[in-house]
Amino acid sequence: MTHTSQSTPGSGVERNGINPVPEAERRGTPRELFAVWFSWNVSILGISYGIYVFGLGLSVLQAIVAGVLGYAGSAFLVGVLAVGGPRTGLPTLTQTRFAFGFHGNKLPTLFAYLSNVGWKITIITLASTTGAGLFARLWPARFARPDGHSTTAAVLLWYVVVLAVTLVVAVFGHKVIIRVEKWIAGLTSVMTIVFIALILPNIRWSALGSTGHGSWGAFVGGAIMAMTMVGIGFLNYGGDFARYLPRCTRARGVIGWTAGGITLPVAVLLILGVLLVGSDAKLGAAAASDPIGALTALLPLWFFIPFSLVIVISRWWCAMRPPARRCGAGPAAPPTGSPGSRCSTTPTANRLSASYRRRCRPPSAGSIRRRASCTTSARRRGSCACAAARTSWSACC
C-alpha cells in the first residue's frame, strides 16, 4: 500500500505518526534542535540531580566532573540515534523494527511506552504542585493548609488544567512546536539566570572543601547515575524531531546541536546543585526531597510569582515531548502492533483531526537501504540525488 502525506497543509494539526515524514514536509536546519532540547532540560530539577550525584560520597569536584561526563556521554548517544530521523523520516521506536523485527519490537516498545507515560504523569504532577504552591502563597486562606502547604483541591485543580491544555495542544504540528520552543527556551533561560543569581548568595564558599574524596567506584557510579537521569531517558525518541529535517542533513550537525541542547542546561544546574549541597547539607537534603519547594522558598515574592509560572509552563511543555505530542501515545504505542492510528489514541485528537486506520507490511531490508542511501556528491549539494531514495514506500504500521 502506498502511503501518502498524513498532514493537512496549513491546518496546523499534526497528522504524521509512525509513517515516514514526506519529503515535501521536511524543512529546517539542525540548529533548531538546540532550542527543542534546551527548553526540555532547563529545569529546577537539574539542581536536585547534582545533589543526588554528590550524595554518593563524592567531593564537590568529583561530583561535578562525574555528572558532566555522564551528561555529555549520554547526550552524545541521543544525538547519534537522532541521525536516523532525517535518514528514514521515522520516529525512533519505529526505526527499532529494523533491528528487532515487527514482533520483536513489541516488548522494548511496551517498556518504553510505560516509561514515557510514567514520566508524563510525573511532569504534569510537578507542574500542578508548583501552581498549587503559588496559589497557597498568594491566597493562603483558600488554598493553603494550616502547615502552609497547598491543599489537595488546589493540586487537583491545577492537574486538570495542565492535563487539559496538554491534550489540546498535543495535536498541533511540528512547525508550531518549533516556533513556540524558541520562545520558551529564551524565557526559561532568562528566568533561570536570574534564579541562579538569587541563589548564589546562599552558597558558603568556605565550606566547599570540607568533604572528602570518594572512591573510583563511586565516581563511576556518579557518571552512570547522571547518564540515567538525563540522556538515557531520551534514547527512545531521540530522532522524533530530527525526522522533520531534510534527508541529507549532515550527521555531525544533528549530533552536535542535540547533544549541546541537552548537556548545557543540565550541566550548569548540576554544578549549582553540587555547590549548594556541598556548602549546606541541610538545604541539600531539603532540596533532594522537594527541590521546587525548598529552592523557591529562598526567592523573594516579586520573583517567586513569575518564576513559578515559568516552572509550570516549562514542565507542561516538557510533557509535550514527542511521545505526548502524538495524541497521548505517540510513536511508543502504535509500534507495539496495536491497530489504532496515531490520532485515534485520545478523544481530543479525534475531534481535531480525521482518524484513519491502515495495515501494511514492513519494508524489506533492501528497500530501507535504498531509501536511506545518499551519494557523497549529493550530500555536498545538500539534497538527495539518489532516485531510489525518492521511491515511495510504506512504513510498517
Side-chain angles (χ1 to χ4, degrees):
M1 181 182 299
T2 301
H3 175 70
T4 57
S5 175
Q6 298 298 323
S7 62
T8 305
S11 66
V13 176
E14 179 64 54
R15 299 288 301 279
N16 288 302
I18 63 172
N19 59 286
V21 177
E23 292 288 346
E25 299 180 24
R26 304 283 195 95
R27 63 181 67 87
T29 63
R31 184 174 301 179
E32 295 176 350
L33 298 174
F34 182 86
V36 172
W37 291 105
F38 185 93
S39 62
W40 290 344
N41 287 282
V42 57
S43 165
I44 196 172
L45 291 177
I47 297 177
S48 62
Y49 296 163
I51 296 173
Y52 299 150
V53 174
F54 180 84
L56 295 178
L58 302 175
S59 66
V60 171
L61 181 59
Q62 283 180 319
I64 291 174
V65 174
V68 172
L69 286 178
Y71 286 161
S74 59
F76 176 78
L77 295 178
V78 178
V80 171
L81 288 181
V83 175
R87 298 296 181 266
T88 64
L90 297 170
T92 302
L93 287 176
T94 306
Q95 296 177 43
T96 52
R97 286 178 175 175
F98 303 158
F100 300 116
F102 180 83
H103 296 291
N105 195 49
K106 293 180 179 180
L107 184 61
T109 302
L110 174 62
F111 283 109
Y113 175 70
L114 295 175
S115 173
N116 288 332
V117 171
W119 182 242
K120 305 309 170 193
I121 294 174
T122 302
I123 290 297
I124 294 175
T125 301
L126 287 172
S128 305
T129 54
T130 302
L134 175 62
F135 273 21
R137 189 161 176 178
L138 294 178
W139 300 287
R142 184 180 295 266
F143 296 106
R145 300 198 303 256
D147 60 0
H149 292 85
S150 56
T151 61
T152 303
V155 176
L156 289 176
L157 174 63
W158 273 91
Y159 192 93
V160 171
V161 171
V162 174
L163 180 61
V165 175
T166 300
L167 291 176
V168 170
V169 181
V171 300
F172 288 104
H174 170 262
K175 189 175 182 179
V176 176
I177 299 295
I178 288 293
R179 186 183 301 119
V180 178
E181 288 280 10
K182 294 178 180 178
W183 287 97
I184 292 183
L187 176 62
T188 53
S189 299
V190 172
M191 298 298 287
T192 301
I193 291 173
V194 178
F195 170 77
I196 293 174
L198 294 174
I199 292 295
L200 282 178
N202 293 278
I203 298 176
R204 295 186 295 124
W205 300 97
S206 60
L208 291 178
S210 59
T211 57
H213 292 277
S215 64
W216 172 252
F219 179 85
V220 174
I224 295 175
M225 175 182 285
M227 294 179 70
T228 57
M229 288 189 297
V230 177
I232 297 299
F234 295 141
L235 291 178
N236 53 12
Y237 47 89
D240 286 20
F241 267 111
R243 64 192 285 236
Y244 291 88
L245 296 174
R247 183 180 310 280
C248 286
T249 301
R250 290 183 178 273
R252 64 185 181 187
V254 175
I255 297 173
W257 289 109
T258 298
I262 297 173
T263 305
L264 179 60
V266 291
V268 171
L269 293 171
L270 176 136
I271 294 173
L272 180 61
V274 172
L275 295 177
L276 281 172
V277 69
S279 63
D280 188 344
K282 184 179 294 185
L283 175 60
S289 59
D290 182 16
I292 295 178
L295 296 173
T296 54
L298 303 175
L299 302 176
L301 183 61
W302 65 267
F303 185 72
F304 172 79
I305 296 175
F307 188 68
S308 296
L309 293 176
V310 168
I311 291 177
V312 173
I313 294 173
S314 64
R315 292 303 85 202
W316 159 70
W317 198 254
C318 188
M320 299 296 296
R321 289 183 294 192
R325 284 197 314 113
R326 288 174 178 76
C327 308
T336 60
S338 60
S341 68
R342 180 190 69 81
C343 288
S344 64
T345 53
T346 65
T348 303
N350 279 333
R351 290 193 295 269
L352 295 179
S353 59
S355 62
Y356 62 93
R357 287 178 181 268
R358 67 186 186 278
R359 288 185 179 275
C360 53
R361 59 187 178 83
S364 65
S367 66
I368 293 170
R369 287 193 295 268
R370 290 193 300 271
R371 177 75 175 177
S373 63
C374 292
T375 62
T376 303
S377 60
R379 284 199 182 100
R380 292 197 186 101
R381 294 196 302 270
S383 62
C384 275
C386 305
R390 298 194 185 96
T391 58
S392 176
W393 62 292
S394 296
C396 172
C397 295

